[in-house]
Amino acid sequence: MKKIVAALAACLVASAVQAEDYPAETVTIVVPYSAGGVTDSYARMIQPALQERWGQTVIVENKPGSGSMVGAMDVARADPDGTRILMTAYGVISNEVLMPDIPFDLADLSPVYMLGRGSNMLIMRPDYPMDDITDIVAWAKEHPGELKLASSGVGASPHIAAELLANVAGFDFLHIPYQGSAPSRLDVIAGRVDGMMDGISSVAYVESGDIKAIALAAEERHPSLPDVPTFKEKGIDFVFGTIFGFYVPKDTPQEVQDEIFAALDAALHVPETEALLNKQGMDTTRRTQAEFQEIVAKELDQLKELVAKGRLTPQ
Amino acid sequence: MSTILDNAMLGLGVAFQPYNLAFCFLGVFLGTILGVIPGIGVLVSISLLFPITFHVEPVAALVLLAGIYYGTTYGGSTSAILLNVPGTPSSAVACLDGHPMAQKGRAATALFMTTVASFFGGSVGIIMLMGFSPVIAASAVQFGSAEYFALMVLGLIAASTIASGSMLKGIAMVLIGILMGLVGSDVYTGTLRFTFGQMALFEGISIIALAMGIFGVTEVIHSVLNIKKAGEANHDLSFRAMLPTRQEMRDSWMPMIRGSMIGSFFGALPGTGGLIAAYMSYATEKRVGKTETFGKGAIQGVTGPESANNAADQTAFIPTLTLGIPGSPTMAIILGVLIIHGIEPGPMVVVNQPDLFWGLVMSFWVGNLMLLILNIPMVGLWVRLLRIPFHLMYPAILMFIVMGVLTTYNDEIQVWVVLICGAFGYLLRYLGMQAAPLILGFVLGPMMEEHFRRTLLLNGGDFTAFAGSAISQVCLGVSALLLVYGLFVTYRTRLRTVQAQRSVSSRNSQV
């Protein structure tokens, strides 16, 4: 009975919102992280273009908490009329698998637009004896649990990246979690851990010689690091990066979702914006909504596999 | 030396551009105001104003946000002294002796001296930043988990005397603080601890909610119940009343110098900062100070910690700008400005962007000077706040606390956390327990645990790793000495009391 009422209510709301007069009121982009973070900066970067296109006020609202779950839940429970849009990173996908007990279901959200995919690279301490990923993997296989890889936290994307790499290449490492990427990076620089999976933003430390970049978890080499090979070149089928995307409540009318898609696509595929994103290591290949949904589903499967193999433990 | 002068001149040129000057003033002015208002701390202020930085030059944006950052520390002690409600968590220490001074009618002097101490601490911090950044950054890298752990042990032991009154109650409060700090997900496994299934507690109890509850709300409840006692002190608002006595001035120099050194050290270490620095300075003053008045309005208890947290504010920029390693969430936001303007934070910023680095550093001088000039005439105005009738004042404080928490978390559950912390704080106060050691345990406890476990993890469970470097050996050695000394002092006083009692009783028996 409840479901029928809910479905009826959804139909009513849906018919009330017409795509041609969307948005009829202020649109809020909910960022489940604090102001000043990467995700927040991307949301604010596109806010003016959306405002101009829609002729409505567009607000970026930061709703941090519980590893991005507070903001995700907020949008999942909002009216499905496209006035509250979630812009988030990898947490919304990984927490679905890693935190099954929280009162949030990724299925309550509809993935609309994929801004892009960040790239990760394996960085090692400056005095690490090996430079080639093949040698490192061989050594790690011979010495299971001895390679010390740091991460910005349990279940954070650098941790997942390291586990995925270990899974693909077939070795075990010692995971050393930190609270945030800054302190973990500092311990790589100081040589207290062997290395970590890090975003392309650590390129500044590669240039200054404070760390060594070993390999890139992307399809292609990055222009800022022309000498650093990809894992694929070295025969390891490993591509990983956090996924920045926009989500709306699942019952949002498709016409509204299409308009949001079109507006975001127009706002982001401006040469300067794309160049800036690419410089930060973001792969901004255009993807349809269906492709984005497929990517999310694929990520979920990958994570479930890691859980099944005991590499990740859900809470 | 000449290069520093050249760089300073380059920086001054940048800092004195009218545009940057205006942003500097705006920053420190807003910072002071927002710092005074309880609940609206530095992180909120900076987050609220962050979007502005998309539209201005990176130097101006950094100058603005940095101005807010150290401006709130100047302002934060004001409400701590006047109302016993710290404006920011790091000014909680200012309650300990600043508020008793205000109760004695010396609020104006306390405020004047905090401004002077803040300026002094800030200046020392900037000198460290200008002259020794590369050296300090290099030594900050030397601090690994083992070293941090040893330092935290030293900190807890040194600060065990911070509470006035019963030692046992002080230790109990530190332990309760540590327990409260453990709420949330375990750093190493992600296991949720003591959250009772509440999502609001997944990331732990926030320091802002705790400090605002346990100091702010508690104070409001306490004052409502003791309304008759309030407002007894008469406040002289003349400039002369503001000036410290010669003795107070003499008593303040050394605490200010020591405080600045302690602050510069903790500020430069990523992960620690103004709050820990202020506590350590207070603990130091209490040990070396030759006065019995700590907790009852000792000027040393105000000037030391105040210079410490302001010095820490400035040196916090050392790891942030020279290594690209932000030591706190606030510093991470400031680094965000660089990223948005396409400057990759890291070791090359100082080299590649000298005008940005030195312009910012020199703007700190300008900002601190502005704060000094801005704050001294404001003292009279702030003290006048005390004349606001309490039936208006306390609801306003509660309103600001709720606003502050809402703007930080944008989640009404956190308001409940504040209220529960407030009720708990009142219970503690009723039992004669002090909140200051609790905050220290809350901050240091989880850090100790994190570094303890990481040291063992990195070294395969080898306990000798804790004393593996000179830094940790010194810290642990000093801790041991302090412990032995503390036990010795306790034993000696007890022995003397026993002897005194014996001699009294034997005299009595003779009679």
Side-chain angles (χ1 to χ4, degrees):
Chain A
M1 187 59 203
K2 246 184 184 171
K3 273 187 180 164
I4 300 172
V5 174
L8 276 175
C11 288
L12 280 175
V13 175
S15 57
V17 189
Q18 290 299 317
E20 50 263 34
D21 40 63
Y22 172 83
E25 50 187 308
T26 304
V27 175
T28 307
I29 299 176
V30 177
V31 174
Y33 303 99
S34 311
V38 185
T39 318
D40 176 70
S41 74
Y42 294 150
R44 291 185 196 278
M45 196 169 72
I46 55 157
Q47 180 257 351
L50 292 180
Q51 194 153 287
E52 198 178 322
R53 176 179 171 120
W54 286 335
Q56 284 287 353
T57 315
V58 175
I59 301 169
V60 175
E61 187 179 308
N62 301 96
K63 228 171 157 46
S66 304
S68 85
M69 284 300 100
V70 170
M73 264 168 68
D74 173 88
V75 174
R77 289 171 185 177
D79 289 335
D81 55 6
T83 51
R84 283 184 91 73
I85 303 170
L86 179 70
M87 202 237 141
T88 188
Y90 203 74
V92 75
I93 302 170
S94 56
N95 284 340
E96 177 70 10
V97 176
L98 296 178
M99 302 179 96
D101 290 341
I102 49 164
F104 165 78
D105 196 356
L106 185 56
D108 291 338
L109 290 175
S110 165
V112 178
Y113 183 79
M114 181 164 153
L115 170 69
R117 176 139 221 186
S119 33
N120 271 263
M121 58 182 178
L122 178 65
I123 57 168
M124 298 303 258
R125 61 185 157 92
D127 53 347
Y128 191 73
M130 286 164 261
D131 292 318
D132 193 295
I133 183 62
T134 324
D135 299 341
I136 296 174
V137 167
W139 186 88
K141 278 182 177 169
E142 275 169 41
H143 303 83
E146 283 183 36
L147 184 69
K148 294 172 191 164
L149 294 183
S151 86
S152 56
V154 173
S157 74
H159 175 207
I160 293 171
E163 294 289 359
L164 280 171
L165 168 65
N167 190 34
V168 172
F171 64 87
D172 285 318
F173 64 96
L174 179 63
H175 176 220
I176 320 274
Y178 287 75
Q179 297 213 68
S181 57
S184 49
R185 205 179 273 164
L186 188 61
D187 267 10
V188 178
I189 295 172
R192 280 181 281 265
V193 291
D194 294 323
M196 67 184 281
M197 293 299 299
D198 201 357
I200 212 90
S201 60
S202 51
V203 63
Y205 301 91
V206 180
E207 281 164 1
S208 66
D210 287 311
I211 52 171
K212 294 200 286 196
I214 304 295
L216 211 59
E219 297 287 349
E220 284 163 30
R221 291 190 181 203
H222 191 269
S224 303
L225 294 163
D227 301 330
V228 178
T230 64
F231 282 99
K232 278 196 160 174
E233 285 174 45
K234 292 286 182 177
I236 300 168
D237 184 20
F238 170 55
V239 173
F240 183 82
T242 179
I243 292 167
F244 294 96
F246 293 82
Y247 303 73
V248 292
K250 71 167 189 295
D251 293 321
T252 310
Q254 190 54 45
E255 305 87 76
V256 173
Q257 295 195 32
D258 290 343
E259 168 54 26
I260 295 172
F261 184 95
L264 289 168
D265 195 57
L268 284 161
H269 288 276
V270 178
E272 304 93 75
T273 313
E274 249 189 309
L276 185 79
L277 290 175
N278 293 342
K279 196 184 156 219
Q280 294 179 1
M282 183 100 82
D283 166 17
T284 51
T285 314
R286 270 195 160 98
R287 288 179 173 97
T288 64
Q289 189 179 2
E291 282 168 341
F292 178 27
Q293 287 169 344
E294 238 169 73
I295 289 172
V296 171
K298 220 181 107 191
E299 287 302 321
L300 285 174
D301 288 343
Q302 239 182 356
L303 288 164
K304 282 175 193 153
E305 191 195 324
L306 288 183
V307 170
K309 289 196 172 170
R311 288 189 177 272
L312 290 176
T313 318
Q315 292 311 318
Chain B
M1 197 62 204
S2 66
T3 46
I4 290 182
L5 279 181
D6 290 345
N7 286 326
M9 290 316 288
L10 168 76
L12 273 182
V14 178
F16 271 105
Q17 282 165 16
Y19 190 67
N20 292 337
L21 221 47
F23 272 96
C24 186
F25 179 76
L26 184 68
V28 297
F29 180 73
L30 282 175
T32 308
I33 305 284
L34 293 168
V36 172
I37 301 173
I40 304 186
V42 58
L43 191 60
V44 191
S45 326
I46 289 190
S47 306
L48 289 176
L49 287 156
F50 185 78
I52 295 179
T53 56
F54 280 81
H55 309 290
V56 297
E57 288 296 305
V59 178
L62 284 174
V63 165
L64 171 75
L65 294 188
I68 296 172
Y69 173 66
Y70 53 80
T72 43
T73 310
Y74 267 78
S77 49
T78 305
S79 39
I81 291 168
L82 296 178
L83 306 167
N84 207 18
V85 179
T88 57
S90 69
S91 51
V93 181
C95 292
L96 295 175
D97 278 289
H99 189 61
M101 275 186 82
Q103 283 174 323
K104 286 185 196 158
R106 308 226 52 211
T109 314
L111 290 181
F112 178 82
M113 286 310 288
T114 48
T115 308
V116 172
S118 297
F119 181 74
F120 185 85
S123 306
V124 172
I126 305 170
I127 292 168
M128 294 287 171
L129 181 57
M130 286 174 70
F132 307 103
S133 273
V135 187
I136 294 175
S139 34
V141 175
Q142 297 303 311
F143 274 77
S145 281
E147 288 77 14
Y148 270 104
F149 175 76
L151 189 65
M152 302 287 121
V153 170
L154 176 61
L156 271 185
I157 290 176
S160 59
T161 56
I162 204 159
S164 49
S166 158
M167 180 92 172
L168 199 62
K169 282 182 176 174
I171 293 172
M173 293 307 285
V174 172
L175 291 177
I176 293 175
I178 293 177
L179 280 178
M180 291 178 82
L182 296 182
V183 174
S185 76
D186 177 353
V187 179
Y188 293 93
T189 62
T191 309
L192 297 171
R193 302 190 293 195
F194 313 118
T195 58
F196 305 101
Q198 294 296 311
M199 267 186 74
L201 296 177
F202 282 11
E203 286 182 359
I205 300 170
S206 93
I207 175 81
I208 299 176
L210 180 68
M212 289 312 134
I214 219 157
F215 286 101
V217 177
T218 299
E219 181 63 25
V220 171
I221 302 173
H222 179 79
S223 306
V224 168
L225 294 174
N226 298 284
I227 206 88
K228 264 176 282 165
K229 270 170 63 192
E232 74 277 54
N234 256 323
H235 291 283
D236 188 347
L237 295 177
S238 65
F239 184 73
R240 185 174 290 177
M242 209 159 85
L243 294 177
T245 61
R246 196 164 288 179
Q247 184 61 39
E248 281 172 328
M249 213 49 221
R250 214 174 295 144
D251 287 342
S252 292
W253 276 116
M254 285 316 287
M256 270 158 50
I257 293 169
R258 282 190 292 261
S260 307
M261 291 301 156
I262 293 171
S264 300
F265 172 73
F266 281 101
L269 269 192
T272 63
L275 189 140
I276 295 177
Y279 271 94
M280 290 308 134
S281 161
Y282 189 84
T284 312
E285 292 317 318
K286 210 172 164 183
R287 278 202 185 266
V288 302
K290 294 191 176 49
T291 165
E292 296 298 308
T293 56
F294 276 101
K296 302 184 192 89
I299 190 92
Q300 298 94 321
V302 177
T303 46
E306 240 359 78
S307 38
N309 63 19
N310 282 281
D313 271 6
Q314 305 299 346
T315 53
F317 283 92
I318 295 176
T320 308
L321 293 174
T322 56
L323 296 174
I325 303 287
S328 67
T330 315
M331 281 293 133
I333 293 184
I334 286 176
L335 270 190
V337 173
L338 295 181
I339 298 169
I340 278 159
H341 288 277
I343 303 165
E344 284 300 343
M348 306 308 279
V349 170
V350 184
V351 183
N352 294 344
Q353 316 269 344
D355 49 337
L356 183 136
F357 177 79
W358 289 99
L360 183 63
V361 171
M362 294 319 283
S363 88
F364 294 164
W365 281 118
V366 179
N368 271 282
L369 216 57
M370 282 178 178
L371 280 165
L372 187 68
I373 298 165
L374 194 69
N375 272 277
I376 286 180
M378 297 259 262
V379 168
L381 187 76
W382 295 131
V383 176
R384 237 164 278 212
L385 273 180
L386 291 180
R387 293 192 181 160
I388 297 176
F390 287 145
H391 67 277
L392 296 177
M393 177 66 105
Y394 287 107
I397 293 176
L398 274 185
M399 183 191 77
F400 282 122
I401 289 175
V402 171
M403 263 171 55
V405 172
L406 275 180
T407 41
T408 318
Y409 299 102
N410 202 358
D411 190 2
E412 66 275 8
I413 297 172
Q414 294 295 340
V415 178
W416 289 103
V417 176
V418 173
L419 291 183
I420 293 166
C421 288
F424 179 61
Y426 185 69
L427 176 76
L428 294 177
R429 191 152 174 178
Y430 187 78
L431 297 173
M433 317 277 246
Q434 286 186 328
L438 184 145
I439 297 282
L440 188 74
F442 181 81
V443 173
L444 290 186
M447 288 178 74
M448 256 177 94
E449 189 215 359
E450 186 187 338
H451 292 299
F452 178 79
R453 288 172 66 185
R454 188 174 298 128
T455 307
L456 289 180
L457 194 58
L458 283 170
N459 295 289
D462 181 6
F463 275 88
T464 56
F466 287 108
S469 73
I471 298 170
S472 16
Q473 285 158 5
V474 169
C475 288
L476 291 175
V478 175
S479 309
L481 284 178
L482 277 176
L483 256 183
V484 172
Y485 176 73
L487 287 175
F488 170 69
V489 169
T490 321
Y491 175 71
R492 196 179 55 188
T493 27
R494 187 161 297 170
L495 205 67
R496 279 188 190 158
T497 340
V498 172
Q499 277 171 347
Q501 276 167 352
R502 259 193 214 143
S503 63
V504 168
S505 59
S506 62
R507 215 176 299 150
N508 285 349
S509 63
Q510 279 171 1
V511 172

